[in-house]
């Protein structure tokens, strides 16, 4: 009996140590992802303002260049990662479709609601991810995550400036579109976590999801371009930038830089963190974007935006401290009354 109890305690200690190790690895990756992704809006704003580039055309080329960049990098550095097992192909197609829907609804939300309102609505994904993660992936959803969700969403509202008069002038269609963009973003996060649990390499996943998303966006532009705002009205509109070499360079830089590195690190972090936690950390992105816009574009940060940034940061730090203490308490708490069971093997971290 003593031997069994000791074995149970050893297994519990091993699981707790692994959990703390995952937190120590996952949090820096997710924060780095948020910092890198926060530069995306700067590139997109430059392209849309300088060249008036349609949003869905921009999204198509962005995804295409991401897939091309990943293909070149993997061919040179890790050719074995180009191979995807046949049993995973259907899943990757669905994952790419999820990314397509998120990109499409988000860009439509921006065109209908403006940047401020669409930012708040897309980060409703933090709440969607937590709820769906509990339902689909059996992730824990306690009072700490609920408090963090409230704090992060509140911070996003303050940073985006939707409290200013006239910010909410969109119609019901616009608000619904923005909310759906948050729902699709939550689905993207959950599929990323599921891909990690399936043993898919995050960089292989990134290559195929963006490649499939580029194909879907091409079909979307060619088939529904006349009906969707921000899409290509005709095939010629796909070459919107024409001979503007600098515009093409900025577009390629957008894909090869913040998109590949940002989404890549986010996918890697999902191998260590629950999707709800990773998505909450990503709510740091609007705060980082506001700071970068101030430094690069000279945009003014008012007191409300600074307060919102601090609120988001406080929520993420609070969640990190609690998760770390929780795993430590589990490690030190005796498990004498709990029957010993075989430990569950963790998802492979590649």
């Amino acid at each position: 009996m003593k031997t069994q109890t000791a074995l149970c305690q050893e297994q519990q200690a091993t699981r707790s140590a692994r959990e703390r190790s995952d937190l120590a690895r996952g949090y820096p990756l997710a924060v780095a992802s948020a910092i890198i992704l926060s530069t995306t809006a700067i590139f997109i704003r430059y392209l849309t303002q300088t060249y008036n580039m349609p949003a869905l055309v921009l999204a198509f080329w962005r995804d295409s260049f991401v897939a091309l960049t990943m293909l070149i990098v993997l061919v040179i550095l890790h050719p074995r990662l180009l191979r995807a097992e046949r049993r995973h192909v259907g899943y990757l197609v669905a994952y790419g479709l999820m990314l397509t829907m998120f990109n499409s609804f988000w860009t439509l939300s921006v065109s209908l609601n403006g940047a401020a309102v669409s930012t708040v609505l897309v980060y409703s994904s933090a709440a969607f991810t937590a709820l769906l993660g509990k339902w689909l992936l059996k992730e824990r959803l306690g009072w700490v995550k609920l408090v963090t969700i409230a704090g992060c969403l509140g911070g996003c509202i303050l940073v985006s400036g939707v409290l200013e008069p006239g910010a909410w002038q969109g119609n019901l269609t616009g608000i619904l579109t923005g909310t759906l963009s948050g729902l699709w973003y939550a689905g993207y996060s959950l599929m990323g976590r599921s891909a990690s649990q399936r043993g898919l390499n995050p960089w292989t996943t990134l290559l195929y999801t963006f490649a499939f998303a580029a194909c879907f966006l091409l079909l979307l532009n060619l088939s529904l371009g006349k009906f969707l705002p921000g899409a290509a009205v005709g095939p010629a509109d796909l070459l919107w930038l024409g001979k503007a070499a600098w515009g093409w360079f900025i577009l390629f830089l957008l894909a090869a830089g913040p998109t590949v590195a940002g989404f890549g690190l986010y996918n890697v972090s999902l191998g260590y963190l629950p999707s709800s936690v990773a998505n909450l950390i990503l709510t740091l992105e609007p705060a980082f974007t506001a700071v970068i816009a101030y430094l690069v574009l000279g945009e003014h940060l008012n007191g409300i935006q600074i307060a919102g940034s601090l609120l988001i940061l406080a929520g993420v730090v609070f969640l990190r401290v609690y998760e770390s203490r929780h795993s430590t308490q589990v490690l030190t708490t005796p498990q004498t009354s709990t029957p010993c069971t075989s430990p569950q093997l963790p998802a492979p971290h590649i």
Side-chain angles (χ1 to χ4, degrees):
M1 183 65 179
K2 291 183 179 180
T3 303
Q4 185 179 5
T5 301
L7 180 61
C8 287
Q9 292 177 344
E10 182 180 352
Q11 292 174 349
Q12 184 66 32
T14 301
R15 289 194 295 269
S16 182
R18 185 183 296 115
E19 180 181 350
R20 286 186 291 120
S21 176
D22 286 351
L23 290 174
R25 295 179 181 181
Y27 266 82
L29 289 170
V31 171
S33 170
I35 294 174
I36 295 172
L37 284 172
S38 65
T39 63
T40 302
I42 307 299
F43 287 96
I44 292 178
R45 181 175 180 181
Y46 177 83
L47 288 170
T48 54
Q49 288 191 340
T50 305
Y51 300 99
N52 295 318
M53 194 172 186
L56 293 185
V57 174
L58 191 157
F60 160 69
W61 284 110
R62 177 190 178 190
D63 289 0
S64 299
F65 283 148
V66 168
L68 178 61
T69 302
M70 286 303 307
L71 179 62
I72 295 173
V73 170
L74 293 183
V75 165
I76 296 174
L77 299 179
H78 296 285
R80 65 181 183 85
L81 296 183
L82 293 171
R83 181 180 301 175
E85 296 183 28
R86 183 176 299 179
R87 61 191 178 94
H88 291 145
V89 173
Y91 181 84
L92 291 172
V93 171
Y95 200 176
L97 180 60
M98 184 73 70
L99 178 60
T100 303
M101 298 304 293
F102 162 61
N103 282 339
S104 300
F105 274 93
W106 185 72
T107 51
L108 288 174
S109 175
V110 172
S111 66
L112 292 172
N113 302 311
V117 175
S118 61
T119 299
V120 173
L121 293 175
V122 77
Y123 277 100
S124 63
S125 63
F128 286 132
T129 304
L131 295 174
L132 293 175
K134 178 178 175 59
W135 178 39
L136 298 176
L137 301 180
K138 310 304 179 184
E139 295 178 353
R140 288 187 293 119
L141 179 61
W143 67 271
V144 174
K145 283 186 182 179
L146 293 175
V147 170
T148 305
I149 289 170
C152 289
L153 290 180
C156 287
I157 291 174
L158 297 178
V159 171
S160 63
V162 296
L163 296 181
E164 297 179 1
W168 292 88
Q169 293 180 349
N171 54 24
L172 179 61
T173 302
I175 301 301
L176 180 60
T177 301
T179 304
L180 288 174
S181 72
L183 181 60
W184 287 112
Y185 196 16
Y188 178 84
S189 300
L190 292 173
M191 291 199 73
R193 179 65 171 174
S194 177
S196 173
Q197 293 174 345
R198 288 169 177 259
L200 283 165
N201 184 278
W203 301 106
T204 303
T205 302
L206 188 71
L207 167 63
Y208 283 99
T209 52
F210 273 85
F212 287 129
C215 294
F216 286 128
L217 281 167
L218 178 61
L219 293 175
L220 196 64
N221 276 286
L222 293 178
S223 60
L224 299 176
K226 296 181 180 180
F227 308 101
L228 294 178
V233 177
D237 288 340
L238 290 175
L239 299 176
W240 186 273
L241 293 175
K243 297 181 180 180
W246 179 251
W248 286 109
F249 173 75
I250 294 297
L251 183 56
F252 182 80
L253 193 62
L254 165 65
T259 306
V260 169
F263 276 94
L265 289 176
Y266 181 63
N267 286 354
V268 173
S269 73
L270 288 169
Y272 299 101
L273 299 173
S275 56
S276 56
V277 174
N279 195 266
L280 282 171
I281 295 174
L282 215 62
T283 57
L284 288 167
E285 183 185 339
F288 290 138
T289 300
V291 173
I292 294 173
Y294 170 75
L295 296 175
V296 177
L297 302 176
E299 294 185 358
H300 179 64
L301 277 174
N302 57 38
I304 293 179
Q305 288 176 315
I306 294 175
S309 302
L310 294 176
L311 184 60
I312 297 171
L313 181 61
V316 173
V317 171
F318 174 65
L319 181 64
R320 174 68 178 95
V321 171
Y322 176 82
E323 293 284 353
S324 179
R325 289 186 176 182
H326 174 76
S327 62
T328 303
Q329 290 174 355
V330 171
L331 176 62
T332 57
T333 302
Q335 303 293 327
T336 55
S337 60
T338 303
C340 184
T341 58
S342 299
Q344 296 289 331
L345 292 178
H349 302 316
I350 304 175

